């Protein structure tokens, strides 16, 4: 049997273990009960149960990789709406978490009429820099779930400028199987990723993580 080993002349430094992961997003990441639109749950809209939203699937996968990892999430809808003027201090608790990886999964709620040049991308960089533990913290950002050329250009620009890891999930919305159509009376809720879409989002993010 032929055994081939890599040269040890230039040893690659061991990769720093990820122990604290912060996932920031919007309703796809977490939405509290909203009976007025027929959503009565407290997890990622519109998964059928808490363990089937993308965050919970991803969290379980990360825990299988590292049993000591801490994974938390936050709906940062206010950032999407007020990205140019938001007081980051309201997220001081997230900053205190000390995330050595931040996963960014948002963009759908931004008013694109307010997006000019790279103002959203610059604001996102500033926000993430506030939230992450330090300069060594890794950052992963996904494109939007529904097609949104304006926002995806902003997200790609920020990722390229900061050397973040970019994951494309937009194509998932091209197939109705990835949405919860027919499962909820409210069209807005039903067009969110259902169980299949949530599983695919979790898979794509997990496969793209620098672990």
């Amino acid at each position: 049997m032929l055994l081939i080993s890599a040269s040890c002349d230039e040893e690659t430094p061991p990769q720093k273990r990820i122990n604290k992961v912060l996932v920031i997003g919007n309703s796809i990441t977490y939405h509290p009960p909203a009976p007025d639109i027929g959503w009565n749950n407290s997890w990622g809209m519109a998964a059928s149960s808490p363990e089937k939203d993308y965050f919970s699937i991803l969290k379980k996968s990360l825990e299988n990789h590292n049993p000591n990892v801490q994974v938390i999430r936050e709906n940062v809808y206010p950032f999407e709406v007020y990205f140019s003027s938001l007081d980051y201090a309201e997220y001081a608790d997230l900053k205190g978490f000390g995330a050595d990886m931040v996963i960014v999964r948002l963009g759908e709620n931004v008013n694109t009429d307010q997006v000019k040049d790279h103002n959203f991308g610059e604001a996102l960089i500033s926000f993430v820099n506030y939230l992450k533990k330090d300069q060594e913290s890794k950052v992963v950002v996904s494109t939007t779930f529904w097609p949104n050329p304006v926002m995806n250009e902003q997200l790609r620009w920020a990722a390229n400028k900061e050397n973040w890891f970019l994951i494309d999930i937009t194509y998932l919305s091209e197939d109705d199987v990835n949405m919860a159509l027919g499962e909820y009376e409210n069209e807005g809720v039903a067009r969110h990723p259902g169980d299949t879409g949530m599983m695919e989002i979790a898979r794509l993010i997990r496969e793209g993580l620098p672990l």
Side-chain angles (χ1 to χ4, degrees):
M1 179 182 295
L2 177 64
L3 299 178
I4 302 176
S5 60
S7 171
C8 296
D9 293 342
E10 295 183 8
E11 293 187 4
T12 302
Q15 191 164 352
K16 186 177 180 181
R17 178 151 238 180
I18 302 298
N19 292 310
K20 290 187 175 183
V21 178
L22 168 63
V23 181
I24 58 172
N26 48 37
S27 58
I28 296 176
T29 299
Y30 172 80
H31 200 297
D36 56 316
I37 60 172
W39 175 252
N40 301 302
N41 305 310
S42 297
W43 55 77
M45 187 182 285
S48 64
S49 59
E51 70 275 6
K52 291 185 177 180
D53 69 14
Y54 89 85
F55 170 83
S56 299
I57 297 170
L58 179 62
K59 181 174 183 287
K60 183 176 180 181
S61 177
L62 291 173
E63 289 171 341
N64 288 338
H65 179 76
N66 173 15
N68 297 316
V69 71
Q70 298 177 54
V71 189
I72 65 173
R73 64 179 158 188
E74 184 78 14
N75 183 322
V76 294
Y77 171 80
F79 172 75
E80 291 183 301
V81 178
Y82 307 109
F83 67 88
S84 62
S85 60
L86 183 69
D87 182 1
Y88 298 164
E90 72 175 88
Y91 294 105
D93 57 329
L94 298 184
K95 179 179 178 62
F97 176 63
D100 41 28
M101 176 180 286
V102 178
I103 298 175
V104 181
R105 164 67 300 281
L106 46 70
E108 290 83 358
N109 297 307
V110 177
N111 180 353
T112 54
D113 289 340
Q114 298 179 0
V115 176
K116 294 177 175 58
D117 300 321
H118 294 116
N119 63 340
F120 180 84
E122 291 169 348
L124 181 62
I125 291 170
S126 176
F127 188 42
V128 170
N129 283 342
Y130 171 80
L131 294 174
K132 67 185 186 180
K133 180 181 178 181
D134 53 39
Q135 290 302 311
E136 294 185 11
S137 299
K138 300 185 185 304
V139 179
V140 178
V141 59
S142 84
T143 59
T144 58
F145 178 70
W146 301 286
N148 193 326
V150 172
M151 290 312 304
N152 282 337
E153 193 279 331
Q154 294 283 319
L155 294 165
R156 290 191 176 97
W157 178 86
N160 183 64
K161 187 174 187 297
E162 297 296 300
N163 292 317
W164 293 347
F165 296 86
L166 180 70
I167 299 171
D168 184 8
I169 70 167
T170 303
Y171 73 91
L172 294 176
S173 62
E174 296 174 1
D175 190 339
D176 287 353
V177 73
N178 290 315
M179 291 181 275
L181 298 176
E183 297 177 29
Y184 298 92
E185 188 172 335
N186 183 279
E187 183 76 2
V189 176
R191 289 205 166 274
H192 278 66
D195 292 351
T196 299
M198 288 289 190
M199 185 179 300
E200 283 300 290
I201 292 173
R203 178 184 66 80
L204 290 170
I205 293 176
R206 180 65 183 87
E207 290 179 353
L209 293 183
L211 298 176

